[in-house]
Amino acid sequence: QVQLRDSGGRSVQTGGSLRLSCAASGRTFSTYAMGWFRQAPGKEREFVAAISSNGGRTNYADSVKGRFTISRDNAKDTGYLQMNSLKPEDTAVYYCAAGSTIWTISKGIWGQGTQVTVSS
């Protein structure tokens, strides 16, 4: 079974950029769809973006469309979330997850989370 380790979170100013990484252990990463979720203090975890196992299909939350880009490199067993034009409301713990399909990621495997803080 795949295990996930997400990283790359840090503090940035409004308008800045960050790239989160999700490194997978195991040899079956390429068979999983993967995605990113986030949870802000006092709020429920919410969907951010997802990508199919071969990278051919992506899906984004309306709040991040045009600013965030999800990608993956199956040769490196790693997924990414490029975040541009960051806003204070993007502040949250970001979690990567992997599942059997792009629609069932939340029911699969989770990383431990990485903190993103956007200051105004």
Side-chain angles (χ1 to χ4, degrees), residues 16-62:
S17 296
L18 279 177
R19 188 177 79 159
L20 305 183
S21 298
C22 178
S25 63
R27 300 181 179 179
T28 59
F29 176 70
S30 62
T31 66
Y32 287 82
M34 66 153 294
W36 293 90
F37 294 76
R38 66 186 182 186
Q39 188 167 18
K43 296 187 177 181
E44 293 186 353
R45 191 173 296 186
E46 65 175 1
F47 168 77
V48 176
I51 188 168
S52 59
S53 58
N54 65 1
R57 182 171 185 171
T58 58
N59 192 27
Y60 295 92
D62 288 343

Side-chain angles (χ1 to χ4, degrees), residues 81-98:
L81 184 67
Q82 177 67 42
M83 305 187 295
N84 298 329
S85 302
L86 283 161
K87 305 174 182 180
E89 51 264 45
D90 295 318
T91 294
V93 177
Y94 283 72
Y95 299 87
C96 67

Side-chain angles (χ1 to χ4, degrees), residues 101-113:
T101 74
I102 197 169
W103 308 112
T104 59
I105 291 168
S106 63
K107 300 179 181 179
I109 305 158
W110 290 84
Q112 82 285 357

